[in-house]
Amino acid sequence: MAQTKVLVVEDEPNARAGLAELIASWGYRTETAVDGVMGLDLVVRWSPDVVVTDLMMPRMDGLQLLDRIGELPQQKVAVVVLTAQGSIESAVDAMRMGAYDYLQKPVDPQRLKTILQNAQQQAETNEEISAVEISSEENGRLGPLVGSSPHMREIFHLIERIAPNNVSVLITGESGTGKELAARALHMFSGRRNKPFVAVNCAAIPETLIESEIFGHEKGAFTGAQERRAGCFELAEEGTLLLDEIGEMPAATQSKLLRVLEDRKLRRLGSRDEIPVNVRVIAATNKDPHQAVSSGELRGDLFYRLNVFNIQMPSLRDHKEDIPAMAEAMVQEMNDRHGMQVPGISRAVMDRFMAYSWPGNARELRNTIERAVILANGKSIDVSHLPPGFGEEQHTPPAHGAHLTQSATTFSAPANSNDFVHLSVGMTVDEAEKQLILKTLEATRNNKTRAAEILGISSKTLQNKLKEYALEDKDVLES
């Protein structure tokens, strides 16, 4: 730690001296600068590992200093910005520009110490990350992600750029496109990689339990709370927390999450005590986040707090050139998982893969390959190992008034099922939507999970729609 150099840039003399003295007491070498101009000069001449800078300064402010540091052709410097109360927007701007983290004034010493420790760990991984930037171009892989198409190269570059910084990220894309894999790559190439990665699906947790799952609870906080329980934030301490399907989180929970992101502290349910948290939060959604904000499903202030950077995962049909490499990697993955030695995939199968539209995206490809690896039992995967009828017709999500298609390997409709949704001029959009939902439930024999997948909505959204229609299970079955 004695070799780590920290530059303090602050125009107020007492604050500057106090910060430098505090940081030096933890074993760091320190230097100080009275403004951004002097700070930039010291960055060039002294080469600090970390710069702690105020935002508001004469001659050159903190954002200008951050921008100029980013232009220097030398090893990356972790920049921590100090911001006044109520200036979160400025801090978020700094994060977008490449700041490692931010602190609100008055500075919390323990929080500053933690940030400096994390920044030091990140500096130790920078060389490895630089090597990954080269190998990802050559090998078409970045952690669990595979691909060399323009879409995937762009995602790789973005992950390499933002992984080292303690910045929030919103990952968007259709179901099955690999949003969790992108989150794991962000974690893997950050200074938090040796700490926990915790993923929670907000759509899979009942509304009555989601606050407890995320924030934890004390014994007796509610009926059934027989002991204290740590939530996902505490389980992910010093690591990364992925909040998948963030748009399904109840509004009250979104409000509490926003407070935790801004204050870096939380309260367990039933507790009056605040617990400091050091967690990087990544959120993901298969919805258009702007539409979710407009419809009230996602709080606007939470969206802007999470969306410091956005990674848009492409649908598999938009980067089919990556399918051969992805399939090869998945065959190896399934060989390892099931103790098989399948050598590869036949040309006939690959031709079908390339012609198929993959409505389930990479997840559907993985499930198809897992099934084939098990059936192949050590031989190359051929057409006989694919699901019956695979690739003979395109399986696409139903459009308004379109025929409802279904995969024979997943479910089969009742013999008397009418697969058409009948629309007429004058029918409202709500009524058309209701007909589509009821017909899909009929075709799946009231399997709500499968119906939600076909409709491209979450199970929770489907349940809410049925409540809106005031339909019980028996009503659905009799429709």
Side-chain angles (χ1 to χ4, degrees), residues 27-94:
Y28 296 96
R29 292 174 58 190
T30 61
E31 283 285 354
T32 61
V34 300
D35 58 29
V37 174
M38 181 179 178
L40 183 63
D41 180 62
L42 279 170
V43 168
V44 173
R45 291 190 295 105
W46 192 55
S47 298
D49 300 290
V50 184
V51 173
V52 179
T53 179
D54 192 14
L55 276 182
M56 302 301 296
M57 296 181 294
R59 294 210 296 172
M60 180 187 292
D61 64 24
L63 290 181
Q64 292 171 318
L65 174 61
L66 174 62
D67 187 48
R68 294 294 299 276
I69 289 175
E71 296 173 352
L72 296 176
Q74 61 188 63
Q75 187 175 5
K76 290 182 179 178
V77 180
V79 179
V80 180
V81 299
L82 306 179
T83 180
Q85 290 283 351
S87 300
I88 294 296
E89 294 82 2
S90 298
V92 171
D93 287 341

Side-chain angles (χ1 to χ4, degrees), residues 243-255:
L243 295 174
D244 200 4
E245 301 307 339
I246 188 70
E248 302 296 333
M249 181 181 287
T253 310
Q254 291 186 31
S255 178

